[in-house]
Amino acid sequence: MNSAHRAGSEQIQSQQGRRLPHSGQVTPAAGRSSAALTRPDGTPLRALVVDDEASLTDLLVSALRYEGWDVRGATDGASAVSIGSQLRPDIVVLDLMLPDIDGMEVLRRLRAQHPHVCVLFLTARDSVEDRIAGITAGGDDYVTKPFSLEEVVARLRGLVRRAGLARARVGREIVVGDLAMDEDAREVRRGGDLVELTATEFELLRYLMRNPRRVLSKAQILDRVWNYDFGGRAHVVELYISYLRKKVDAGRAPTIHTVRGVGYVLKPAVS
């Protein structure tokens, strides 16, 4: 890792005001803003994050997933172009200094596939010439390292709004299959039936629903929901998962699944 990238990671940690959580999970301090955004058809915004420092990529991916976006990450240009052709992102966070293909060339290839994709350049270079080159090449915005996650998320939200790619989601409802959560009203319904949850159960279910079909480890859940280090507290997660299952899945097809030796995953119920 070069000194500029290391400085970027250190600055993120200091501006967050707390240690980086397990596996790059982002806490509410750097998480979703009050008005969640979706595409005009109501589906999640699609984003691609490209940076050759894997830890930085993971951190940005987690921040945008917490926003409710559909996000993929890549650590080199070739992977970015390949993922971009499949994902068809609405917005790309793109490092100019990649190990194989220059960021400008990655942008050219992505724009050849998707001409209207928004691009936020992310780089350690802060000269006027570099900024002009990035904007001239078609970049929509430019952030230099070190930076704060809040700034990047705010800029991305501004880009997609100005480009007309997103609308504010009214009510902040999360839906996974027949399971629906109204975050503002703090209500959960399964198949239209109200499910009564405690505050902790609600936060645990929200984390699972914000990451559907993604296996979450006990360490990740402890850090996000309880702000604990792992430290032998796995029984807390197991206990609350059992509580949730009794309330959410009782008498119905299961939505919460155990992946032995790894963690838990929430998926739409299969009839």
Side-chain angles (χ1 to χ4, degrees), residues 188-208:
V188 174
R189 294 182 182 273
R190 177 82 192 268
D193 298 328
L194 186 65
V195 179
E196 298 287 350
L197 299 177
T198 67
T200 301
E201 290 165 353
F202 185 90
E203 289 303 322
L204 174 56
L205 183 61
R206 172 155 57 182
Y207 187 42
L208 293 171

Side-chain angles (χ1 to χ4, degrees), residues 94 102-114 137:
L94 180 59
D102 182 83
M104 299 289 192
E105 176 61 18
V106 173
L107 171 59
R108 188 190 67 78
R109 297 186 190 184
L110 289 173
R111 281 267 168 81
Q113 299 171 352
H114 317 298

Side-chain angles (χ1 to χ4, degrees), residues 166-262:
R167 64 176 176 81
R169 187 174 66 218
V170 178
R172 295 201 300 170
E173 185 176 63
I174 313 171
V175 179
V176 179
D178 65 348
L179 185 62
M181 172 180 284
D182 185 327
E183 295 180 283
D184 290 334
R186 296 187 70 83
E187 289 184 350
V188 174
R189 294 182 182 273
R190 177 82 192 268
D193 298 328
L194 186 65
V195 179
E196 298 287 350
L197 299 177
T198 67
T200 301
E201 290 165 353
F202 185 90
E203 289 303 322
L204 174 56
L205 183 61
R206 172 155 57 182
Y207 187 42
L208 293 171
M209 291 182 71
R210 275 285 171 201
N211 294 273
R213 301 182 185 277
R214 181 182 176 203
V215 179
L216 300 169
S217 70
K218 293 175 184 177
Q220 288 174 313
I221 293 170
L222 275 168
D223 186 90
R224 171 62 184 87
V225 179
W226 283 274
N227 292 322
Y228 286 171
D229 288 325
F230 191 56
R233 295 185 173 93
H235 66 281
V236 174
V237 178
E238 295 166 1
L239 183 63
Y240 273 86
I241 287 289
S242 72
Y243 292 160
L244 271 186
R245 281 177 167 151
K246 290 175 182 177
K247 293 184 176 182
V248 173
D249 287 346
R252 303 173 185 264
T255 58
I256 302 170
H257 303 267
T258 300
V259 180
R260 294 196 180 280
V262 183

Side-chain angles (χ1 to χ4, degrees), residues 17-206:
R18 54 166 292 177
R19 62 188 171 78
L20 295 181
H22 294 291
S23 304
Q25 294 303 309
V26 179
T27 63
R32 179 173 24 80
S33 302
S34 57
L37 298 178
T38 67
R39 306 177 85 218
D41 62 2
T43 59
L45 285 163
R46 296 193 292 257
L48 173 61
V49 177
V50 189
D51 192 288
D52 64 347
E53 185 182 351
S55 61
L56 191 57
T57 298
D58 290 344
L59 196 63
L60 288 166
V61 166
S62 291
L64 295 179
R65 279 185 177 149
Y66 196 75
E67 288 282 313
W69 296 11
D70 181 5
V71 193
R72 303 289 188 277
T75 54
D76 59 73
S79 298
V81 173
S82 175
I83 294 171
S85 66
Q86 301 168 24
L87 179 64
R88 299 182 65 84
D90 300 301
I91 195 160
V92 178
V93 181
L94 180 59
D95 188 0
L96 281 174
M97 297 183 290
L98 297 171
D100 55 348
I101 306 173
D102 182 83
M104 299 289 192
E105 176 61 18
V106 173
L107 171 59
R108 188 190 67 78
R109 297 186 190 184
L110 289 173
R111 281 267 168 81
Q113 299 171 352
H114 317 298
H116 302 297
V117 65
C118 292
V119 175
L120 172 72
F121 278 128
L122 185 66
T123 182
R125 302 188 299 208
D126 193 25
S127 70
V128 173
E129 293 78 8
D130 286 325
R131 293 190 183 192
I132 292 174
I135 300 302
T136 302
D140 298 285
D141 204 349
Y142 195 107
V143 174
T144 57
K145 301 174 184 177
F147 58 84
S148 72
L149 286 174
E150 288 90 345
E151 177 187 9
V152 172
V153 171
R155 290 200 184 204
L156 291 174
R157 289 171 63 87
L159 280 180
V160 296
R161 281 184 184 277
R162 290 195 296 273
L165 297 173
R167 64 176 176 81
R169 187 174 66 218
V170 178
R172 295 201 300 170
E173 185 176 63
I174 313 171
V175 179
V176 179
D178 65 348
L179 185 62
M181 172 180 284
D182 185 327
E183 295 180 283
D184 290 334
R186 296 187 70 83
E187 289 184 350
V188 174
R189 294 182 182 273
R190 177 82 192 268
D193 298 328
L194 186 65
V195 179
E196 298 287 350
L197 299 177
T198 67
T200 301
E201 290 165 353
F202 185 90
E203 289 303 322
L204 174 56
L205 183 61
R206 172 155 57 182

